[in-house]
């Protein structure tokens, strides 16, 4: 397929990024290679969206630090950016709403481009037509890049955890947007999809990216090493390692943050109290 006729894709990764690791960055590169190798897609942008403090995950340090580390980690990338919208919301925001927000932003950018096109080169607007997409309250804008949620297989498998995700949110993500899922040791995304009727129905919108160079880098491991004053160099960009040192992040004390608090989605869907 010629470059022009490929579908433009923007990849959105939501997560704690507590802190961002090299594997988070690798996840984007792996996903881009995989999608472009199909000949159908051209990946034009990657967005890292750190979760807000209202998520209440144990050991989650302040969003301002997580954002700044993600910014430092992506400063050498010409296609991955960090977006602060989610982390600045006063309460935890469901991932589906974050995806919707970014889709609306992309559509607005597309509109602006079209207006410029009309203004300066008098070409026809291409973005006026909208069409409904099966099973979604949203409308797809023609000319707008496709937004796909990018995650590791543990997040995909968390769809099966009771009271963590709303079924309608999962439906919308996999039917309207699409999912790119990178394998992670200990996970079997193919099996998980095979066992879920919803995921099976929309399996063509779920792209599984096999990471052959398996590694178990996780932010949990990084935080543990830091608490023990062990080196985390080469697991994270040097600029992030320096930032952690300067700001004395990830201590025994910070790991106890939210220790007695119920995770926000569980609170919201079960009505459980916050402590
Ligand atoms: N080694 C990895 N392989 C594949 N995906 C990964 C890997 N590490 C993180 N991810 C993915 O990156 C996204 C953000 O993850 P998150 O911020 O939870 O990082 P993490 O390393 O899993 O941290 P934690 O250990 O605190 O849960 C998630 O979709 C997660 O699945
Ligand atoms: N119902 C939901 O929308 C829902 C539930 C659980 C986690 N999440 C998101 O998944 C990501 C998971 O991050 P962690 O793997 O760091 O916990 C976060 O961005 C979080 O907001 C969304
Ligand atoms: Zn995680």
């Amino acid at each position: 397929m010629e470059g022009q006729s490929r579908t433009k894709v923007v990849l959105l990764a939501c997560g704690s990024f507590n802190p961002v690791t090299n594997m988070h960055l690798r996840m984007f590169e792996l996903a881009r290679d995989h999608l472009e190798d199909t000949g159908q897609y051209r990946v034009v942008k990657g967005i890292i969206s750190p979760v807000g403090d209202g998520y209440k995950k144990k050991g989650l340090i302040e969003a301002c630090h997580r954002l700044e580390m993600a910014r430092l980690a992506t400063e050498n990338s010409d296609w991955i950016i960090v977006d602060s919208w989610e982390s600045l919301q006063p309460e935890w925001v469901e991932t589906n709403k974050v995806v919707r927000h970014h889709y609306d932003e992309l559509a607005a950018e597309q509109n602006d481009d079209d207006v410029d096109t009309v203004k300066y080169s008098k070409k026809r607007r291409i973005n006026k037509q909208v069409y409904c997409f099966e099973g979604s309250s949203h409308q797809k804008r023609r000319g707008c890049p496709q937004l796909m949620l990018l995650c590791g297989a543990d997040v995909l498998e968390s769809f099966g955890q009771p009271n963590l995700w709303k079924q309608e949110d999962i439906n919308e993500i996999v039917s309207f947007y699409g999912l790119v899922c990178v394998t992670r040791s200990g996970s079997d995304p193919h099996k998980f999809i095979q066992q879920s009727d919803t995921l099976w129905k929309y399996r063509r919108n779920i792209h599984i990216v096999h990471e052959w160079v398996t590694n178990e880098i996780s932010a949990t491991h990084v935080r543990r090493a830091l608490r023990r004053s062990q080196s985390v160099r080469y697991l994270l960009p040097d600029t992030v390692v320096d930032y952690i040192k300067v700001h004395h992040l990830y201590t025994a004390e910070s790991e106890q943050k939210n220790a007695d608090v119920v995770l926000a989605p569980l609170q919201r869907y079960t009505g459980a109290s916050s402590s």
Side-chain angles (χ1 to χ4, degrees):
M1 206 185 277
E2 286 300 306
Q4 287 297 33
S5 53
R6 289 179 178 225
T7 304
K8 280 192 226 161
V9 170
V10 172
L11 294 169
L12 170 69
C14 293
S16 300
F17 303 104
N18 186 38
V20 67
T21 68
N22 285 343
M23 193 53 212
H24 293 133
L25 304 169
R26 286 290 305 149
M27 190 169 73
F28 279 94
E29 299 288 330
L30 291 163
R32 180 170 72 166
D33 279 354
H34 177 93
L35 290 178
E36 296 201 341
D37 191 50
T38 63
Q40 287 180 49
Y41 302 105
R42 187 159 66 84
V43 178
V44 294
K45 183 156 73 168
I47 305 172
I48 293 183
S49 178
V51 75
D53 295 340
Y55 186 43
K56 302 287 178 203
K57 189 166 174 173
K58 183 173 173 288
L60 189 68
I61 68 160
E62 293 83 349
C64 59
H65 288 309
R66 291 181 288 110
L67 265 175
E68 190 51 34
M69 290 187 281
R71 284 201 187 109
L72 290 168
T74 50
E75 64 190 357
N76 290 330
S77 173
D78 59 0
W79 70 284
I80 308 171
I81 60 150
V82 181
D83 189 276
S84 61
W85 180 84
E86 178 181 5
S87 67
L88 294 176
Q89 302 310 303
E91 292 192 346
W92 171 70
V93 186
E94 281 142 340
T95 296
N96 191 32
K97 291 206 177 111
V98 180
V99 181
R100 281 184 184 181
H101 163 81
H102 284 285
Y103 189 68
D104 290 345
E105 293 268 292
L106 288 174
E109 279 169 26
Q110 185 68 30
N111 264 332
D112 289 348
D113 286 354
D114 292 343
V115 170
D116 286 349
T117 309
V118 172
K119 224 164 145 188
Y120 300 114
S121 60
K122 300 208 179 345
K123 284 193 184 147
R124 278 184 345 125
R125 286 182 68 160
I126 53 165
N127 197 31
K128 273 221 151 169
Q129 282 166 298
V130 290
Y131 57 93
C132 291
F133 191 77
E134 190 208 340
S136 171
S137 55
H138 249 48
Q139 290 182 308
K140 269 203 176 171
R141 278 86 157 186
R142 203 171 278 173
C144 183
Q146 188 172 346
L147 181 64
M148 294 188 190
L149 184 66
L150 171 64
C151 67
D154 58 312
V155 171
L156 177 81
E157 293 185 358
S158 81
F159 287 177
Q161 199 176 316
N163 301 315
L164 199 61
W165 294 82
K166 282 193 289 193
Q167 193 54 48
E168 68 232 50
D169 285 0
I170 297 173
N171 272 333
E172 185 167 322
I173 290 169
V174 294
S175 66
F176 184 78
Y177 298 102
L179 196 66
V180 184
C181 173
V182 180
T183 57
R184 216 172 163 172
S185 43
S187 64
D188 188 348
H190 289 289
K191 186 171 174 194
F192 191 76
I193 291 167
Q194 202 273 335
Q195 291 177 347
S196 154
D197 287 343
T198 308
L199 298 184
W200 179 253
K201 181 172 174 192
Y202 295 109
R203 63 192 178 283
R204 290 189 182 85
N205 295 341
I206 306 176
H207 305 267
I208 305 289
V209 183
H210 198 95
E211 166 54 310
W212 293 105
V213 187
T214 52
N215 75 69
E216 300 195 27
I217 298 183
S218 73
T220 300
H221 170 79
V222 168
R223 293 195 304 277
R224 191 184 300 126
L226 287 164
R227 288 199 300 281
R228 297 175 186 178
S229 303
Q230 290 166 345
S231 167
V232 290
R233 199 153 183 216
Y234 310 122
L235 298 177
L236 324 172
D238 283 349
T239 47
V240 177
V241 177
D242 293 343
Y243 185 92
I244 290 171
K245 260 195 209 143
V246 168
H247 294 271
H248 308 289
L249 304 179
Y250 301 114
T251 58
E253 196 188 349
S254 71
E255 197 60 22
Q256 287 314 305
K257 267 176 154 288
N258 302 320
D260 304 321
V261 185
V262 179
L263 196 72
L266 298 175
Q267 268 184 53
R268 196 168 292 176
Y269 305 142
T270 63
S273 73
S274 58
S275 58

